PDB file of all heavy atoms in Angstrom:
ATOM      1  N   GLY A 192     113.552   8.348 141.354  1.00 92.00           N
ATOM      2  CA  GLY A 192     112.129   8.526 141.529  1.00 92.00           C
ATOM      3  C   GLY A 192     111.778   9.906 142.042  1.00 92.00           C
ATOM      4  O   GLY A 192     112.519  10.528 142.804  1.00 92.00           O
ATOM      5  N   LYS A 193     110.604  10.372 141.628  1.00 91.00           N
ATOM      6  CA  LYS A 193     110.154  11.712 142.030  1.00 91.00           C
ATOM      7  C   LYS A 193     109.875  11.797 143.520  1.00 91.00           C
ATOM      8  O   LYS A 193     109.919  12.882 144.080  1.00 91.00           O
ATOM      9  CB  LYS A 193     108.899  12.087 141.230  1.00 91.00           C
ATOM     10  CG  LYS A 193     109.174  12.328 139.771  1.00 91.00           C
ATOM     11  CD  LYS A 193     107.928  12.717 139.019  1.00 91.00           C
ATOM     12  CE  LYS A 193     108.289  12.922 137.563  1.00 91.00           C
ATOM     13  NZ  LYS A 193     107.099  13.273 136.756  1.00 91.00           N
ATOM     14  N   ASN A 194     109.580  10.704 144.160  1.00 91.00           N
ATOM     15  CA  ASN A 194     109.288  10.702 145.595  1.00 91.00           C
ATOM     16  C   ASN A 194     110.524  10.454 146.454  1.00 91.00           C
ATOM     17  O   ASN A 194     110.409  10.437 147.670  1.00 91.00           O
ATOM     18  CB  ASN A 194     108.179   9.710 145.911  1.00 91.00           C
ATOM     19  CG  ASN A 194     106.867  10.082 145.303  1.00 91.00           C
ATOM     20  OD1 ASN A 194     106.551  11.284 145.210  1.00 91.00           O
ATOM     21  ND2 ASN A 194     106.108   9.121 144.821  1.00 91.00           N
ATOM     22  N   SER A 195     111.664  10.235 145.802  1.00 89.00           N
ATOM     23  CA  SER A 195     112.915  10.051 146.561  1.00 89.00           C
ATOM     24  C   SER A 195     113.339  11.362 147.198  1.00 89.00           C
ATOM     25  O   SER A 195     112.784  12.429 146.860  1.00 89.00           O
ATOM     26  CB  SER A 195     113.998   9.517 145.637  1.00 89.00           C
ATOM     27  OG  SER A 195     114.327  10.507 144.671  1.00 89.00           O
ATOM     28  N   GLN A 196     114.334  11.330 148.049  1.00 86.00           N
ATOM     29  CA  GLN A 196     114.864  12.520 148.647  1.00 86.00           C
ATOM     30  C   GLN A 196     115.352  13.499 147.570  1.00 86.00           C
ATOM     31  O   GLN A 196     115.059  14.696 147.625  1.00 86.00           O
ATOM     32  CB  GLN A 196     115.994  12.213 149.635  1.00 86.00           C
ATOM     33  CG  GLN A 196     115.524  11.565 150.918  1.00 86.00           C
ATOM     34  CD  GLN A 196     116.712  11.244 151.822  1.00 86.00           C
ATOM     35  OE1 GLN A 196     117.788  10.941 151.378  1.00 86.00           O
ATOM     36  NE2 GLN A 196     116.447  11.300 153.100  1.00 86.00           N
ATOM     37  N   ILE A 197     116.083  12.988 146.603  1.00 88.00           N
ATOM     38  CA  ILE A 197     116.605  13.869 145.581  1.00 88.00           C
ATOM     39  C   ILE A 197     115.484  14.371 144.666  1.00 88.00           C
ATOM     40  O   ILE A 197     115.491  15.499 144.189  1.00 88.00           O
ATOM     41  CB  ILE A 197     117.718  13.176 144.739  1.00 88.00           C
ATOM     42  CG1 ILE A 197     118.488  14.204 143.897  1.00 88.00           C
ATOM     43  CG2 ILE A 197     117.213  12.038 143.885  1.00 88.00           C
ATOM     44  CD1 ILE A 197     119.761  13.712 143.303  1.00 88.00           C
ATOM     45  N   GLY A 198     114.450  13.541 144.437  1.00 88.00           N
ATOM     46  CA  GLY A 198     113.307  13.944 143.651  1.00 88.00           C
ATOM     47  C   GLY A 198     112.535  15.073 144.304  1.00 88.00           C
ATOM     48  O   GLY A 198     112.114  16.031 143.640  1.00 88.00           O
ATOM     49  N   GLN A 199     112.353  14.968 145.592  1.00 84.00           N
ATOM     50  CA  GLN A 199     111.648  16.029 146.334  1.00 84.00           C
ATOM     51  C   GLN A 199     112.484  17.287 146.418  1.00 84.00           C
ATOM     52  O   GLN A 199     111.950  18.402 146.299  1.00 84.00           O
ATOM     53  CB  GLN A 199     111.271  15.530 147.728  1.00 84.00           C
ATOM     54  CG  GLN A 199     110.228  14.440 147.695  1.00 84.00           C
ATOM     55  CD  GLN A 199     109.954  13.839 149.071  1.00 84.00           C
ATOM     56  OE1 GLN A 199     110.386  14.365 150.069  1.00 84.00           O
ATOM     57  NE2 GLN A 199     109.249  12.741 149.092  1.00 84.00           N
ATOM     58  N   MET A 200     113.777  17.119 146.624  1.00 84.00           N
ATOM     59  CA  MET A 200     114.665  18.261 146.745  1.00 84.00           C
ATOM     60  C   MET A 200     114.730  19.114 145.475  1.00 84.00           C
ATOM     61  O   MET A 200     114.769  20.312 145.498  1.00 84.00           O
ATOM     62  CB  MET A 200     116.053  17.749 147.118  1.00 84.00           C
ATOM     63  CG  MET A 200     117.125  18.750 147.149  1.00 84.00           C
ATOM     64  SD  MET A 200     116.976  19.786 148.590  1.00 84.00           S
ATOM     65  CE  MET A 200     117.869  21.170 148.028  1.00 84.00           C
ATOM     66  N   PHE A 201     114.747  18.411 144.335  1.00 85.00           N
ATOM     67  CA  PHE A 201     114.944  19.071 143.060  1.00 85.00           C
ATOM     68  C   PHE A 201     113.670  19.125 142.185  1.00 85.00           C
ATOM     69  O   PHE A 201     113.756  19.264 140.979  1.00 85.00           O
ATOM     70  CB  PHE A 201     116.099  18.459 142.305  1.00 85.00           C
ATOM     71  CG  PHE A 201     117.432  18.709 142.969  1.00 85.00           C
ATOM     72  CD1 PHE A 201     118.027  17.721 143.744  1.00 85.00           C
ATOM     73  CD2 PHE A 201     118.060  19.939 142.845  1.00 85.00           C
ATOM     74  CE1 PHE A 201     119.212  17.950 144.395  1.00 85.00           C
ATOM     75  CE2 PHE A 201     119.252  20.165 143.487  1.00 85.00           C
ATOM     76  CZ  PHE A 201     119.842  19.194 144.269  1.00 85.00           C
ATOM     77  N   ARG A 202     112.527  18.991 142.827  1.00 80.00           N
ATOM     78  CA  ARG A 202     111.264  19.055 142.067  1.00 80.00           C
ATOM     79  C   ARG A 202     111.144  20.423 141.397  1.00 80.00           C
ATOM     80  O   ARG A 202     110.850  20.503 140.218  1.00 80.00           O
ATOM     81  CB  ARG A 202     110.098  18.827 143.043  1.00 80.00           C
ATOM     82  CG  ARG A 202     108.752  18.853 142.311  1.00 80.00           C
ATOM     83  CD  ARG A 202     107.662  18.274 143.160  1.00 80.00           C
ATOM     84  NE  ARG A 202     108.017  16.861 143.369  1.00 80.00           N
ATOM     85  CZ  ARG A 202     107.612  16.135 144.404  1.00 80.00           C
ATOM     86  NH1 ARG A 202     106.833  16.652 145.294  1.00 80.00           N
ATOM     87  NH2 ARG A 202     107.966  14.893 144.527  1.00 80.00           N
ATOM     88  N   HIS A 203     111.338  21.449 142.128  1.00 78.00           N
ATOM     89  CA  HIS A 203     111.358  22.811 141.577  1.00 78.00           C
ATOM     90  C   HIS A 203     112.661  23.441 142.078  1.00 78.00           C
ATOM     91  O   HIS A 203     112.759  23.776 143.261  1.00 78.00           O
ATOM     92  CB  HIS A 203     110.143  23.616 142.080  1.00 78.00           C
ATOM     93  CG  HIS A 203     108.838  23.004 141.679  1.00 78.00           C
ATOM     94  ND1 HIS A 203     108.434  22.995 140.360  1.00 78.00           N
ATOM     95  CD2 HIS A 203     107.904  22.342 142.383  1.00 78.00           C
ATOM     96  CE1 HIS A 203     107.260  22.382 140.288  1.00 78.00           C
ATOM     97  NE2 HIS A 203     106.923  21.984 141.484  1.00 78.00           N
ATOM     98  N   TYR A 204     113.604  23.631 141.181  1.00 78.00           N
ATOM     99  CA  TYR A 204     114.892  24.101 141.588  1.00 78.00           C
ATOM    100  C   TYR A 204     115.315  25.251 140.681  1.00 78.00           C
ATOM    101  O   TYR A 204     116.045  25.087 139.706  1.00 78.00           O
ATOM    102  CB  TYR A 204     115.921  22.969 141.500  1.00 78.00           C
ATOM    103  CG  TYR A 204     117.172  23.197 142.278  1.00 78.00           C
ATOM    104  CD1 TYR A 204     117.138  23.443 143.643  1.00 78.00           C
ATOM    105  CD2 TYR A 204     118.399  23.208 141.630  1.00 78.00           C
ATOM    106  CE1 TYR A 204     118.306  23.656 144.346  1.00 78.00           C
ATOM    107  CE2 TYR A 204     119.563  23.460 142.344  1.00 78.00           C
ATOM    108  CZ  TYR A 204     119.516  23.676 143.690  1.00 78.00           C
ATOM    109  OH  TYR A 204     120.649  23.914 144.410  1.00 78.00           O
ATOM    110  N   PRO A 205     114.839  26.474 140.968  1.00 87.00           N
ATOM    111  CA  PRO A 205     115.085  27.620 140.102  1.00 87.00           C
ATOM    112  C   PRO A 205     116.556  28.029 140.003  1.00 87.00           C
ATOM    113  O   PRO A 205     116.956  28.749 139.065  1.00 87.00           O
ATOM    114  CB  PRO A 205     114.234  28.738 140.740  1.00 87.00           C
ATOM    115  CG  PRO A 205     114.048  28.337 142.164  1.00 87.00           C
ATOM    116  CD  PRO A 205     114.065  26.823 142.157  1.00 87.00           C
ATOM    117  N   LYS A 206     117.375  27.628 140.964  1.00 88.00           N
ATOM    118  CA  LYS A 206     118.794  28.017 140.932  1.00 88.00           C
ATOM    119  C   LYS A 206     119.492  27.582 139.641  1.00 88.00           C
ATOM    120  O   LYS A 206     120.257  28.329 139.083  1.00 88.00           O
ATOM    121  CB  LYS A 206     119.486  27.421 142.171  1.00 88.00           C
ATOM    122  CG  LYS A 206     120.764  28.020 142.556  1.00 88.00           C
ATOM    123  CD  LYS A 206     121.089  27.502 143.966  1.00 88.00           C
ATOM    124  CE  LYS A 206     122.536  27.474 144.263  1.00 88.00           C
ATOM    125  NZ  LYS A 206     122.794  27.018 145.635  1.00 88.00           N
ATOM    126  N   SER A 207     119.194  26.384 139.185  1.00 90.00           N
ATOM    127  CA  SER A 207     119.820  25.890 137.923  1.00 90.00           C
ATOM    128  C   SER A 207     119.307  26.708 136.738  1.00 90.00           C
ATOM    129  O   SER A 207     120.096  27.054 135.859  1.00 90.00           O
ATOM    130  CB  SER A 207     119.500  24.413 137.700  1.00 90.00           C
ATOM    131  OG  SER A 207     120.297  23.637 138.555  1.00 90.00           O
ATOM    132  N   TYR A 208     118.009  26.947 136.700  1.00 92.00           N
ATOM    133  CA  TYR A 208     117.434  27.730 135.589  1.00 92.00           C
ATOM    134  C   TYR A 208     118.015  29.134 135.569  1.00 92.00           C
ATOM    135  O   TYR A 208     118.366  29.684 134.522  1.00 92.00           O
ATOM    136  CB  TYR A 208     115.920  27.848 135.674  1.00 92.00           C
ATOM    137  CG  TYR A 208     115.205  26.513 135.605  1.00 92.00           C
ATOM    138  CD1 TYR A 208     114.374  26.109 136.640  1.00 92.00           C
ATOM    139  CD2 TYR A 208     115.377  25.653 134.525  1.00 92.00           C
ATOM    140  CE1 TYR A 208     113.715  24.896 136.574  1.00 92.00           C
ATOM    141  CE2 TYR A 208     114.738  24.455 134.462  1.00 92.00           C
ATOM    142  CZ  TYR A 208     113.889  24.076 135.469  1.00 92.00           C
ATOM    143  OH  TYR A 208     113.241  22.872 135.406  1.00 92.00           O
ATOM    144  N   LEU A 209     118.169  29.731 136.762  1.00 94.00           N
ATOM    145  CA  LEU A 209     118.734  31.082 136.868  1.00 94.00           C
ATOM    146  C   LEU A 209     120.189  31.082 136.397  1.00 94.00           C
ATOM    147  O   LEU A 209     120.601  32.002 135.673  1.00 94.00           O
ATOM    148  CB  LEU A 209     118.621  31.580 138.299  1.00 94.00           C
ATOM    149  CG  LEU A 209     119.079  33.009 138.579  1.00 94.00           C
ATOM    150  CD1 LEU A 209     118.281  34.011 137.728  1.00 94.00           C
ATOM    151  CD2 LEU A 209     118.919  33.338 140.062  1.00 94.00           C
ATOM    152  N   SER A 210     120.934  30.072 136.775  1.00 95.00           N
ATOM    153  CA  SER A 210     122.360  30.001 136.350  1.00 95.00           C
ATOM    154  C   SER A 210     122.483  29.899 134.832  1.00 95.00           C
ATOM    155  O   SER A 210     123.293  30.596 134.215  1.00 95.00           O
ATOM    156  CB  SER A 210     123.041  28.804 136.952  1.00 95.00           C
ATOM    157  OG  SER A 210     123.181  28.969 138.343  1.00 95.00           O
ATOM    158  N   ILE A 211     121.658  29.042 134.251  1.00 96.00           N
ATOM    159  CA  ILE A 211     121.692  28.881 132.765  1.00 96.00           C
ATOM    160  C   ILE A 211     121.270  30.178 132.083  1.00 96.00           C
ATOM    161  O   ILE A 211     121.908  30.611 131.152  1.00 96.00           O
ATOM    162  CB  ILE A 211     120.817  27.660 132.365  1.00 96.00           C
ATOM    163  CG1 ILE A 211     121.473  26.372 132.851  1.00 96.00           C
ATOM    164  CG2 ILE A 211     120.593  27.674 130.848  1.00 96.00           C
ATOM    165  CD1 ILE A 211     120.572  25.144 132.756  1.00 96.00           C
TER     166      ILE A 211
END
Side-chain angles (χ1 to χ4, degrees):
K193 291 180 181 178
N194 294 324
S195 67
Q196 287 178 328
I197 194 167
Q199 292 174 11
M200 173 74 202
F201 292 100
R202 182 165 296 155
H203 300 290
Y204 197 60
K206 197 166 153 178
S207 284
Y208 299 122
L209 184 59
S210 291
I211 292 168

